[in-house]
Amino acid sequence: MPDEKSFHMTPEEFRRHGHAVVDWIADYHSRLESFPVLSQMKPGEIRAALPADPPAKGEPFDALLKDVEELILPGVTHWQSPNFFAYFPCNASGPGILGDLLSSGLGVQGMLWSTSPACTELETHVLDWLVPMLGLPEKFLSSNTGGGVIQDTASSAALCALLAGRERATNYTSNQKGCDGRLVAYASTQTHSSLEKAAMIAGLGRANMRLIEVDENFAMRPEALARQIEVDKLAGLVPCFVCATVGTTSSNAFDPVAEIGRICRQHNLWLHVDAAMSGTAALCPEFRHIHDGVELADSYNFNPHKWMFTNFDCNCFWVADRKALIQTLSILPEYLRNQATESGAVIDYRDWHIQLGRRFRSLKLWFVIRHYGVEGLQHHICRHVQLAQQFADWVRKDERFELAAPVPLNLVCFRHKGGDAINQTIMERLNRSGDLYLTHTKLNGRLTLRLCVGQTNTQARHVERAWERIREEAAVLK
Ligand SMILES: Cc1ncc(COP(=O)(O)O)c(C=O)c1O
C-alpha cells in the first residue's frame, strides 16, 4: 500500500518547533518585568484581531508563534510577573512547566490504575511524601486508612468532601434517593465561595449552608457554630459537614481547627479543612502550627498551584477514610471492568473525584519537589513571608495607612485612612500603570487593598518598589 497522506507534525518537526517554544518560554520569563502586569486590552479587542474563519489549509508553525507574540501576549495578564501581588498567587517554575510538558508528551489518561500504573502510583507516592512535609496526620497516608489524590482545584476537592459528608450522614442513601432538604452544612462568613457552590451542586441547597459569624480577626467563632448546630438539630434538620479554613481568601484568617474539630466529633460531622494557599506555609517548621487540629479532620486540601511553584492546575486532597470517599463516588460500568480493579490491590482514582478521565499531574509536582528539595521550598516560602512582613511594617509606620487585618503570613490587608474612594483610586491608578497588580476585598464593610507576596521570582526590590509606587499614588491624591 502507498503511504497514507498525513498532515501530522513529524518527530523532527516537533523537535525543532519544540525547541523554539521552550526558547520562547525562557525568553518570556526573562522579559516578564517589561510587560504591564495587568493586561491593558479592552473587551473584544483580542477577538477583533483574530481572523473570522479558521484556516482551510494548515499554516507554518512560525506563524503560530508570531501570533502568540503579537496577538495573544498583549491580552495576557502576567501572573508570573514578580510584580503580581493580586488575589492569591498562581505561581509556576521551570521544573513544574517541564513536568507538565512531559505529561502532555506522554499523553496518558490515568482514569484507572491499569490505564497507566505509573500515573496512579507516582501520585499516591508523592501525596504520601507531602503528609510529613506539611506536618499532616498519618491517617492521611495511603498505607493507613486514608490517602491523597490530585484534583484540578480546591473547588472540586470541597465538593467531593461535601458529597462524602452528605453520604456518611445519610448512611449512603442520598446518592440513591436524592436529598430531602434536611441536610445542613457549615462554613464561616469568610469561607471561600466554592463551598456555597458545592452546597448548590451537592443538592443541599444554598440556604442549607450556614455561614457562621467570625471574630475580630475574621476567624470562625466555634461557640456560634456549636449553637447553630443545636438549633438545627432541634428543628429536625441533619447537620452533616463543616468546612474550616486555614488562611481565608479575603484576609488570611485561620479558623480554630481544633475547637471546630471537637464540635464535629461530638456531632459526628464531616470536617473538611481548606488550606488552599496557606497550607504551603506548613513546609516551614516555624509555620507548621497552622495545621494544629487537622488531626481531627476527615479531609484536607491545599493548592500547590497557588504557592508551591507547581503550575496550574494542581490541588492535593486527602481523606482520613478512603472507603467513605470511594463509596460516595464509585460507579463501575461494564466497559471499565478489569482484572487489576477486581483484585482489589490497586487504587483507581476515578473513584476519588467527579470526572472520569485524569491527566498525569503528579509528574509536575514530583519534578518540583525533586528540583527544589524540601530545603529549597522552605527557603522561598519563608522569604515570601519575610517580604510580606517587611511590607506590613512599612504600612504600620506610615501614618496615612493602616493594616486592616493581622498579617500571619504572606498577605497584607491594608488601606489608606482617607476612605473607600481614595483606596479605589489608588488601586486603579496602580493597576492601570502596569507597574504592579493588586486587588481588593471588603473587611467590616470597608474597601481594603490586598498585597500578597507569592510569585516565584518576587524579591525584595519588587516589594520595595510596590510600596514606593503606593506611596507615590497616595501623595498625588493628597
Ligand atoms: C481558601 C480558598 N479556597 C478555595 C479557593 C478556590 O480555589 P480553586 O481555584 O483551586 O478552586 C481559593 C481561591 O483563591 C481560596 O483562597
Side-chain angles (χ1 to χ4, degrees):
M1 280 220 290
D3 275 354
E4 281 178 34
K5 181 171 175 172
S6 169
F7 293 88
H8 297 310
M9 198 178 262
T10 64
E12 272 320 306
E13 285 168 336
F14 179 81
R15 190 186 310 281
R16 189 155 44 85
H17 301 321
H19 287 162
V21 169
V22 171
D23 280 345
W24 190 92
I25 296 171
D27 289 344
Y28 169 66
H29 281 255
S30 56
R31 61 195 166 120
L32 260 170
E33 287 184 54
S34 67
F35 301 110
V37 187
L38 177 67
S39 169
Q40 310 283 305
M41 297 300 268
K42 302 208 169 41
E45 261 187 290
I46 295 149
R47 288 201 65 185
L50 297 169
D53 299 311
K57 288 190 181 301
E59 301 179 58
F61 195 80
D62 295 348
L64 275 59
L65 261 191
K66 183 165 168 284
D67 283 355
V68 168
E69 182 75 36
E70 290 172 8
L71 307 182
I72 301 301
L73 214 41
V76 168
T77 288
H78 299 281
W79 283 75
Q80 303 311 316
S81 165
N83 297 311
F84 185 102
F85 300 105
Y87 305 106
F88 275 161
C90 184
N91 64 21
S93 64
I97 296 167
L98 293 175
D100 217 11
L101 179 62
L102 269 174
S103 166
S104 295
L106 291 172
V108 153
Q109 203 279 54
M111 59 187 174
L112 301 167
W113 177 88
S114 61
T115 60
S116 212
C119 180
T120 295
E121 294 196 15
L122 182 65
E123 187 161 327
T124 307
H125 201 73
V126 171
L127 271 87
D128 275 356
W129 274 2
L130 279 163
V131 168
M133 278 171 73
L134 295 169
L136 293 172
E138 288 187 356
K139 65 181 180 179
F140 287 156
L141 290 169
S142 66
S143 52
N144 210 313
T145 52
V149 58
I150 300 182
Q151 305 251 357
D152 53 4
T153 58
S155 305
S156 297
L159 175 58
C160 291
L162 178 55
L163 291 171
R166 181 194 80 179
E167 287 306 299
R168 198 176 72 177
T170 58
N171 206 14
Y172 300 89
T173 59
S174 44
N175 264 345
Q176 288 298 330
K177 298 185 189 164
C179 297
D180 62 5
R182 291 191 309 135
L183 290 164
V184 188
Y186 305 82
S188 88
T189 56
Q190 300 297 305
T191 302
H192 191 266
S193 56
S194 52
L195 269 296
E196 253 181 283
K197 199 171 189 176
M200 287 155 59
I201 301 169
L204 270 72
R206 225 168 150 172
N208 287 328
M209 171 61 80
R210 306 272 188 261
L211 299 182
I212 305 298
E213 70 187 81
V214 293
D215 64 15
E216 65 287 358
N217 292 329
F218 308 102
M220 189 193 285
R221 286 189 186 279
E223 68 282 7
L225 171 69
R227 245 190 341 260
Q228 186 63 49
I229 293 170
E230 295 294 354
V231 168
D232 288 332
K233 279 187 153 177
L234 277 173
L237 300 174
V238 182
C240 68
F241 172 92
V242 178
C243 175
T245 306
V246 168
T248 59
T249 317
S250 249
S251 70
N252 218 2
F254 290 82
D255 289 339
V257 180
E259 281 174 78
I260 294 171
R262 282 191 280 277
I263 296 167
C264 289
R265 282 275 165 98
Q266 191 189 335
H267 295 279
N268 197 22
L269 309 187
W270 186 286
L271 173 61
H272 176 61
V273 175
D274 178 10
M277 179 190 70
S278 300
T280 293
L283 289 167
C284 309
E286 59 268 51
F287 304 128
R288 203 152 289 162
H289 59 85
I290 65 172
H291 283 160
D292 287 354
V294 175
E295 65 280 4
L296 297 173
D298 294 286
S299 55
Y300 167 95
N301 84 114
F302 89 112
N303 279 342
H305 73 222
K306 278 189 162 58
W307 194 14
M308 214 183 89
F309 313 111
T310 310
N311 30 304
F312 194 87
D313 50 4
C314 186
N315 167 275
C316 295
F317 174 61
W318 286 268
V319 285
D321 174 14
R322 60 180 172 272
K323 283 197 190 127
L325 182 69
I326 293 170
Q327 196 170 339
T328 299
L329 296 175
S330 182
I331 184 156
L332 183 59
E334 183 56 36
Y335 45 80
L336 294 180
R337 285 187 186 279
N338 67 87
Q339 263 184 4
T341 297
E342 253 130 66
S343 75
V346 301
I347 288 177
D348 287 323
Y349 274 129
R350 73 190 176 94
D351 295 332
W352 293 54
H353 48 49
I354 307 296
Q355 82 284 6
L356 171 64
R358 60 200 327 274
R359 306 198 297 122
F360 201 163
R361 289 198 189 89
S362 56
L363 270 178
K364 61 184 171 190
L365 191 53
W366 190 46
F367 274 29
V368 166
I369 295 171
R370 291 187 63 186
H371 169 86
Y372 286 94
V374 174
E375 180 195 17
L377 293 171
Q378 288 173 339
H379 170 84
H380 289 290
I381 298 305
C382 285
R383 185 71 185 132
H384 285 163
V385 176
Q386 276 169 6
L387 293 175
Q389 296 298 326
Q390 171 72 79
F391 182 91
D393 257 359
W394 293 330
V395 172
R396 274 186 206 102
K397 286 184 185 132
D398 190 316
E399 61 189 19
R400 291 167 303 174
F401 288 90
E402 63 187 359
L403 292 177
V407 187
L409 296 170
N410 61 333
L411 175 71
V412 186
C413 290
F414 68 105
R415 60 171 88 95
H416 190 283
K417 291 178 185 164
D420 285 4
I422 286 195
N423 284 294
Q424 183 78 35
T425 308
I426 290 176
M427 179 173 72
E428 282 168 12
R429 288 175 62 101
L430 287 168
N431 291 345
R432 220 177 309 126
S433 78
D435 294 341
L436 68 150
Y437 182 25
L438 45 79
T439 49
H440 77 284
T441 188
K442 277 210 165 157
L443 293 176
N444 295 327
R446 293 166 70 189
L447 194 117
T448 301
L449 304 178
R450 296 167 73 266
L451 182 131
C452 191
V453 182
Q455 216 298 317
T456 309
N457 291 307
T458 297
Q459 294 170 5
R461 68 184 171 89
H462 303 106
V463 181
E464 281 160 17
R465 175 81 181 126
W467 180 232
E468 197 178 299
R469 289 288 293 111
I470 291 163
R471 282 166 53 225
E472 271 170 26
E473 294 301 344
V476 172
L477 291 173
K478 212 162 52 159

